[in-house]
Amino acid sequence: MWRDNWVTFVLLVLLGLLQYRLWFGKNSVPDYLALKQEVQQQSQQNDNLAQRNNLLKADISDLKIGLESIEERARNELGLIKQGETFYRILPAEN
């Protein structure tokens, strides 16, 4: 009789230790959920960076291929105009 109770007690203690380790120990369920969220954030950041890289690759390819993109950049970023063109600046009306 005592032997049956002893085995049950030992098994319950082992079950308790395993449950403690599952919920509060190293690599527990909360750690897993935190890492899962961190991986999701990193994946989102990687997707954003990949999209940015694709846009930069497209810009590089445009710059290598044609002069039109170089001219567009010079006009927009540097404010340059072609020879013989007239520059008009339209200002908003003052109140």
Side-chain angles (χ1 to χ4, degrees):
M1 180 75 177
W2 171 249
R3 183 175 220 153
D4 292 337
N5 289 338
W6 182 77
V7 171
T8 305
F9 177 73
V10 169
L11 290 175
L12 285 174
V13 169
L14 286 174
L15 179 66
L17 290 173
L18 289 174
Q19 284 295 314
Y20 176 83
R21 185 169 177 194
L22 175 68
W23 293 104
F24 303 110
K26 184 178 177 182
N27 299 327
S28 62
V29 172
D31 290 343
Y32 166 74
L33 294 175
L35 284 176
K36 186 176 179 182
Q37 183 179 7
E38 188 176 329
V39 165
Q40 189 176 21
Q41 290 173 350
Q42 189 65 43
S43 176
Q44 178 68 33
Q45 186 178 10
N46 287 348
D47 291 341
N48 291 340
L49 290 173
Q51 183 178 10
R52 184 178 133 224
N53 286 347
N54 290 336
L55 290 173
L56 289 173
K57 285 178 186 177
D59 280 348
I60 289 171
S61 124
D62 285 346
L63 288 173
K64 285 182 179 178
I65 292 174
L67 296 175
E68 294 163 355
S69 61
I70 295 172
E71 181 181 331
E72 180 184 346
R73 281 197 117 128
R75 287 176 182 270
N76 292 335
E77 294 177 9
L78 302 175
L80 299 179
I81 58 172
K82 283 185 179 179
Q83 197 170 23
E85 287 183 336
T86 305
F87 177 73
Y88 292 99
R89 185 176 193 183
I90 301 172
L91 298 174
E94 293 182 21
N95 291 336

